Amino acid sequence: MPSNKKKSSSADKHKAKNPKKTVAKKQQSHRRRTSKIPATRKKISFKRAVVFILLPLSLLVFLFYLFIQDQRITQRFEGRIWQLPAHVYARPLELYVGKSISAEQLDFELNYLNYQNVEQLPQKFAQYRHRQNIFEIKTRDFIFWDGNEPAHTIRVNIENNKVVELINIYSNSNADLVRFDAGYLTGIFPSHSQDRVLLKIDEVPDIFIKMLLLIEDRRYFSHWGVDPRSIARALVVNLYSGQTVQGGSTLTQQLVKNLFLSQEKKISRKINEAFMSLLLEYHYDKKLILETYINEIYLGQDGRRAIHGFGLASEFYFGKSLKHLSIDEMALLVGMVKGASYYNPKRNPDHARERRNVVLSAMAQADLITSRQLELLSVKPVDTVRHASSGRYPAFIDVVKLQLQQDYQSDDLSSEGLRVFTTLDPYIQFKTEQAIKNTLPLLSKDEKLQSAAVVVSPLNGDVLAVVGDRNPSFKGFNRALNAERQIGSLIKPVVYLTALEDEEKYTLATLLDDSEFIYQDSNQSDWKPENYDKKFHGDVTLYESLLNSYNVPAVRTGLDVGLDNVTKTLFALGGKEVPAYPSLTLGAVNMSPMEVASIYQSFSANGFHSPLRSVTAVLDKTRKPLERYSLDVAIQVKPEAVVLINSALIDVTKYGTAKHLSKNLNLQVAGKTGTSDDLRDSWFAGFSGDVVAVVWTGFDDNLPTTLTGSSGAMKIWSNLIKEVAYKPYQLPERTDLETYWIDTKNGLLAEQGCENAVELSFIKGTQPNQMSDCETTGRSNWFFDLFE
């Protein structure tokens, strides 16, 4: 009978024999199985740990990134967003009945201000019609230091270089005075040379804002700085076109890119742009962001000056403010946003017109303009105004900066948006430049021969023109301001004025000793001055000595009146303090043309000195007055003695060393030639009734020029004065002065018909008492005939 028990396998037998070993193997097998599970779990836990660590860390980094960008944005927006350069303007032209001005000058001034010459009666700002000597002009409004000057529509009649009629056309009434807008000269820029005219959002026409948003960001007021819908639309359009034809950036993104980021096309830059745009819109009002965009957008280049913002662009391209632009002009500016260089209307008018018409078509589709308006505006030509090159007057601007630095830090001049009104007369500046450029090559073929000139007003010391190089636009060494050279005989009127102030001892008829003279000083070798002609002339009147610029009498006179007194007179006339050496009497003192102009301004004003000024007023960026440089007049010399000197300086230009002037000029002037030792410096300083001008010519290395004052600088001076001077210089009528005929051989009273008679002025009671026994010839002014 079979057994019910299973047969034991060898394994069972083995297990039975080694029960502990079997349990051990089970435990070991279990450990092997269970040991694999914790390894996987450990890996999972590590990854989780890494994730748990990296996520907060990444979040912290992201938050830190946002914090940094947030700080960057808020600091810029809550501080000074832009460095605004100082804008420098020329003097405004003023017209009134009796004003001395030629038709040529008025035409020049209108072109300088970018006025448009039209065939019909002017209807728009900055237009004029010119027929013979009659001008019909519609001016621009302009904000000056004393308030807003409204636009005028006037008729100006000019006869014999003078305004004889000034009428308001529409009211047909006489106008007392019309002041034109001031011409822009240049800017005093920060290092990046950006320029802009700030606009408040309320100053921007509503139609312009609608036009801008229509073209650049239609959903501006509904997105939060980034517009996914615009990005998607641009993506579809670009994919369909196979090239980038449309961007998805909002105005906010464009502003962020311009203010904070570079123009490089990288994904990292686009990410920064997006987050910064969100932050910008989180902090600030939409209108403020739009206002900032309007003032920041780049719209072209004017040399080194970058044109930013629609405010400046409207003035630069069209010569008027944004609110005065026509719709087509606004459309052109909006179209330039896509590419300021490619659509520049000055350089690429065809491109600009095509882009403008794209903008106009979009406006018509959006019902901002009618189809009829679209038709009319699309065919209009692209007209932009002409501009003088920015920074054309470097020598004059140097003078302006020098005056401003007395009241302002240099950083303020390039960052605070000041408006600086100067004294520069554009017409006189132009004619001064032309006189130097056209005359200098006739004096010498050596192109190293240099020149400088300064023109000022006799009445108030206003600096009207400055040229510091034979190339007037050269921005280098300014010889008018910084070249200090020996002034030679220009000092002699100062020496003789010092003498004439001692009226009991000196008059124009006083005889001076022109004989050999040796000055001896124990501390130096003997000095033996000579006359230019190497001759001595015996006894000569003070008048003759000045007329012919004799050296020896000037030295004797200076030593007699006291060299300290000569330096005091020089300082009283507006010169600088100089050492009292004997050689001072012959002009062995270094001065710049600007310093000489200060002295001769006092002569031209008959002793009344006005410190030279190049700036009249300064406004802040909100156009409120900061400084007003008022007229300052002082007199520290005897005016009657100055008139005596001036009477002789008139004759210098008729019969003396500058006698050729009377042949070239048709009005009376006064002046003095100046030549330094060895013909190293050629000078002429003189004045008409309305301008004082000083001209210097020489080499920078101080080599001889072969030019005297009359053969060099005077020729430039003559060519300048005949273009800009309208009024002759007239001696003032003074009751304390009288004229007498004098015999120049002995300084005594003479009959008018006496052979050597000349009419001279005297302070009452100082004239000679004795009559000369000269013979009457029936001819007067025999002395003057010698110079014919």
Side-chain angles (χ1 to χ4, degrees):
M1 184 175 184
S3 174
N4 291 329
K5 291 183 181 179
K6 290 183 178 180
K7 292 183 178 179
S8 299
S9 65
S10 61
D12 291 336
K13 292 178 181 178
H14 180 75
K15 288 178 183 178
K17 293 179 179 178
N18 300 290
K20 291 184 179 180
K21 189 174 181 180
T22 302
V23 173
K25 284 184 177 182
K26 288 182 178 180
Q27 290 176 344
Q28 185 179 10
S29 176
H30 177 74
R31 281 196 299 267
R32 280 198 300 266
R33 291 196 305 270
T34 56
S35 65
K36 293 179 181 180
I37 297 173
T40 304
R41 291 176 178 174
K42 285 179 182 178
K43 288 182 180 179
I44 295 173
S45 300
F46 177 76
K47 289 181 179 179
R48 289 178 178 175
V50 169
V51 170
F52 289 147
I53 294 173
L54 287 181
L55 276 178
L57 184 61
S58 299
L59 182 60
L60 287 174
V61 171
F62 177 68
L63 291 175
F64 181 73
Y65 159 79
L66 290 180
F67 175 78
I68 294 299
Q69 301 294 17
D70 189 74
Q71 291 294 302
R72 188 178 174 190
I73 290 171
T74 55
Q75 286 177 6
R76 182 80 179 265
F77 263 71
E78 294 176 8
R80 184 174 61 196
I81 298 179
W82 298 288
Q83 287 183 312
L84 302 175
H87 288 172
V88 184
Y89 296 89
R91 65 94 182 95
L93 175 66
E94 294 183 342
L95 294 183
Y96 50 87
V97 172
K99 164 81 173 183
S100 295
I101 189 172
S102 65
E104 176 194 359
Q105 179 178 350
L106 182 53
D107 192 68
F108 175 92
E109 298 270 359
L110 293 172
N111 278 277
Y112 180 82
L113 292 172
N114 301 310
Y115 278 48
Q116 181 185 11
N117 193 348
V118 295
E119 296 296 329
Q120 69 284 354
L121 183 69
Q123 301 295 323
K124 298 180 180 180
F125 297 115
Q127 290 185 339
Y128 75 102
R129 178 167 63 177
H130 178 197
R131 294 176 300 178
Q132 296 181 338
N133 290 332
I134 296 178
F135 292 79
E136 294 167 326
I137 311 167
K138 188 174 183 64
T139 68
R140 298 185 184 104
D141 57 350
F142 197 84
I143 297 177
F144 288 100
W145 53 87
D146 54 358
N148 183 60
E149 181 78 17
H152 303 276
T153 305
I154 56 170
R155 180 179 296 110
V156 185
N157 189 3
I158 297 176
E159 294 181 6
N160 298 320
N161 296 332
K162 189 172 291 187
V163 176
V164 297
E165 185 179 53
L166 188 64
I167 295 177
N168 286 312
I169 291 178
Y170 294 117
S171 65
N172 200 32
S173 59
N174 293 327
D176 295 328
L177 183 145
V178 173
R179 181 168 55 179
F180 288 73
D181 47 306
Y184 176 77
L185 295 181
T186 188
I188 301 176
F189 294 102
S191 58
H192 52 63
S193 296
Q194 292 184 4
D195 195 7
R196 50 180 53 80
V197 173
L198 292 185
L199 294 174
K200 295 291 186 183
I201 193 67
D202 295 337
E203 299 172 332
V204 181
D206 184 60
I207 185 65
F208 182 84
I209 293 176
K210 290 179 179 178
M211 186 189 310
L212 177 64
L213 297 183
L214 174 68
I215 301 301
E216 291 298 321
D217 193 350
R218 299 188 180 195
R219 288 169 33 80
Y220 175 72
F221 284 102
S222 60
H223 63 65
W224 290 1
V226 177
D227 189 1
R229 187 185 300 179
S230 295
I231 295 173
R233 183 183 67 248
L235 181 63
V236 171
V237 171
N238 294 339
L239 288 174
Y240 180 79
S241 302
Q243 58 181 334
T244 303
V245 297
Q246 190 176 108
S249 296
T250 64
L251 285 188
T252 311
Q253 287 175 276
Q254 293 180 42
L255 177 61
V256 165
K257 180 176 66 176
N258 288 339
L259 282 180
F260 302 103
L261 304 174
S262 68
Q263 302 296 317
E264 61 182 356
K265 295 181 178 181
K266 290 184 177 181
I267 189 65
S268 57
R269 198 267 293 166
K270 293 296 292 184
I271 293 172
N272 280 336
E273 179 186 292
F275 281 116
M276 294 179 76
S277 298
L278 293 170
L279 288 170
L280 186 62
E281 296 235 6
Y282 172 76
H283 283 292
Y284 300 105
D285 179 76
K286 284 277 190 181
K287 288 187 176 180
L288 175 61
I289 296 172
L290 180 58
E291 178 182 283
T292 307
Y293 176 90
I294 287 171
N295 288 305
E296 170 59 24
I297 188 68
Y298 172 74
L299 292 168
Q301 202 75 25
D302 176 27
R304 295 181 59 191
R305 179 173 71 140
I307 306 298
H308 282 260
F310 291 106
L312 179 59
S314 63
E315 295 183 3
F316 178 69
Y317 292 111
F318 302 111
K320 48 191 172 182
S321 63
L322 186 63
K323 65 182 178 181
H324 290 139
L325 295 187
S326 59
I327 291 178
D328 59 296
E329 291 168 337
M330 292 182 185
L332 191 147
L333 292 185
V334 169
M336 288 182 68
V337 173
K338 186 177 180 181
S341 178
Y342 188 78
Y343 298 110
N344 187 311
K346 290 179 179 284
R347 299 176 183 174
N348 303 308
D350 291 338
H351 297 166
R353 182 175 60 253
E354 291 175 4
R355 179 62 180 163
R356 177 202 67 184
N357 291 348
V358 170
V359 175
L360 292 173
S361 297
M363 292 179 68
Q365 293 174 8
D367 293 330
L368 292 180
I369 58 174
T370 65
S371 57
R372 177 60 177 164
Q373 284 178 302
L374 173 63
E375 181 182 350
L376 294 175
L377 295 174
S378 296
V379 297
K380 291 184 67 175
V382 173
D383 291 324
T384 57
V385 296
R386 298 184 309 274
H387 280 279
S389 299
S390 179
R392 274 192 61 201
Y393 313 115
F396 181 83
I397 297 301
D398 285 345
V399 179
V400 170
K401 289 179 179 178
L402 189 63
Q403 180 176 339
L404 290 175
Q405 285 169 2
Q406 299 175 14
D407 299 302
Y408 298 94
Q409 298 292 327
S410 58
D411 287 347
D412 293 337
L413 296 179
S414 61
S415 63
E416 291 297 334
L418 303 180
R419 290 165 63 90
V420 180
F421 291 92
T422 74
T423 58
L424 182 129
D425 186 305
Y427 183 73
I428 294 179
Q429 176 71 31
F430 173 73
K431 291 298 183 180
T432 304
E433 293 177 359
Q434 292 298 306
I436 287 180
K437 290 198 295 186
N438 295 337
T439 312
L440 208 56
L442 303 178
L443 303 181
S444 172
K445 292 183 181 180
D446 192 335
E447 294 184 357
K448 292 183 180 179
L449 183 66
Q450 277 291 348
S451 187
V454 177
V455 185
V456 303
S457 166
L459 299 177
N460 50 28
D462 284 355
V463 180
L464 306 176
V466 182
V467 176
D469 191 277
R470 66 180 293 149
N471 177 9
S473 61
F474 177 67
K475 298 179 181 179
F477 183 58
N478 185 351
R479 293 163 188 82
L481 191 61
N482 300 316
E484 296 194 343
R485 303 293 288 258
Q486 287 197 3
I487 65 172
S489 297
L490 296 184
I491 196 69
K492 288 173 182 172
V494 180
V495 174
Y496 292 128
L497 174 60
T498 307
L500 290 174
E501 288 194 300
D502 186 355
E503 60 189 67
E504 294 183 0
K505 188 174 182 180
Y506 285 94
T507 69
L508 290 176
T510 299
L511 292 178
L512 305 178
D513 183 6
D514 185 13
S515 62
E516 185 176 358
F517 174 74
I518 301 175
Y519 179 81
Q520 296 178 324
D521 190 315
S522 59
N523 296 323
Q524 60 187 32
S525 58
D526 293 350
W527 180 45
K528 188 178 180 180
E530 295 180 331
N531 293 320
Y532 178 74
D533 60 4
K534 306 300 181 182
K535 299 177 181 178
F536 298 105
H537 309 88
D539 287 341
V540 294
T541 62
L542 187 153
Y543 169 79
E544 287 179 276
S545 181
L546 181 54
L547 202 71
N548 297 294
S549 201
Y550 294 149
N551 288 337
V552 176
V555 174
R556 291 183 186 274
T557 303
L559 292 172
D560 183 61
V561 300
L563 296 175
D564 287 339
N565 289 327
V566 174
T567 62
K568 289 178 181 177
T569 302
L570 182 68
F571 186 75
L573 290 170
K576 63 182 180 181
E577 293 182 348
V578 297
Y581 297 130
S583 58
L584 165 67
T585 58
L586 298 184
V589 56
N590 292 337
M591 289 189 183
S592 68
M594 187 67 68
E595 291 170 330
V596 173
S598 180
I599 296 167
Y600 274 79
Q601 182 276 326
S602 297
F603 281 116
S604 71
N606 303 307
F608 291 86
H609 176 66
S610 298
L612 302 189
R613 63 174 184 173
S614 58
V615 179
T616 56
V618 178
L619 311 185
D620 66 13
K621 62 184 176 183
T622 64
R623 302 185 179 183
K624 294 181 180 178
L626 289 178
E627 299 285 345
R628 186 78 171 94
Y629 295 90
S630 58
L631 182 62
D632 185 14
V633 181
I635 185 165
Q636 300 181 42
V637 292
K638 289 184 177 180
E640 61 271 26
V642 176
V643 174
L644 296 181
I645 290 293
N646 287 351
S647 69
L649 293 179
I650 290 174
D651 286 352
V652 166
T653 69
K654 293 179 178 179
Y655 318 109
T657 57
K659 60 181 179 291
H660 292 295
L661 281 177
S662 61
K663 299 177 182 178
N664 297 327
L665 299 177
N666 57 6
L667 77 170
Q668 181 168 277
V669 295
K672 184 71 184 72
T673 54
T675 311
S676 66
D677 288 345
D678 301 322
L679 305 181
R680 298 177 189 276
D681 301 280
S682 171
W683 291 88
F684 193 85
F687 44 90
S688 64
D690 47 2
V691 291
V692 185
V694 175
V695 177
W696 167 86
T697 301
F699 289 113
D700 288 338
D701 56 11
N702 211 29
L703 289 175
T705 64
T706 73
L707 299 172
T708 65
S710 59
S711 66
M714 190 186 80
K715 292 186 176 181
I716 299 174
W717 192 92
S718 176
N719 290 336
L720 163 64
I721 291 299
K722 68 183 180 183
E723 296 289 342
V724 303
Y726 299 109
K727 297 179 181 178
Y729 173 72
Q730 302 285 1
L731 292 171
E733 296 183 3
R734 295 187 63 93
T735 58
D736 54 354
L737 296 180
E738 297 175 335
T739 59
Y740 294 88
W741 288 92
I742 299 296
D743 184 349
T744 56
K745 290 185 65 177
N746 52 33
L748 301 179
L749 294 173
E751 296 292 336
Q752 180 176 352
C754 190
E755 185 178 15
N756 301 296
V758 59
E759 191 174 25
L760 300 179
S761 297
F762 295 87
I763 298 173
K764 273 186 178 180
T766 66
Q767 70 275 10
N769 296 320
Q770 186 177 349
M771 289 294 296
S772 173
D773 58 0
C774 64
E775 296 182 5
T776 303
T777 64
R779 294 180 64 201
S780 62
N781 292 340
W782 175 88
F783 173 74
F784 294 148
D785 292 341
L786 292 176
F787 300 96
E788 295 298 329

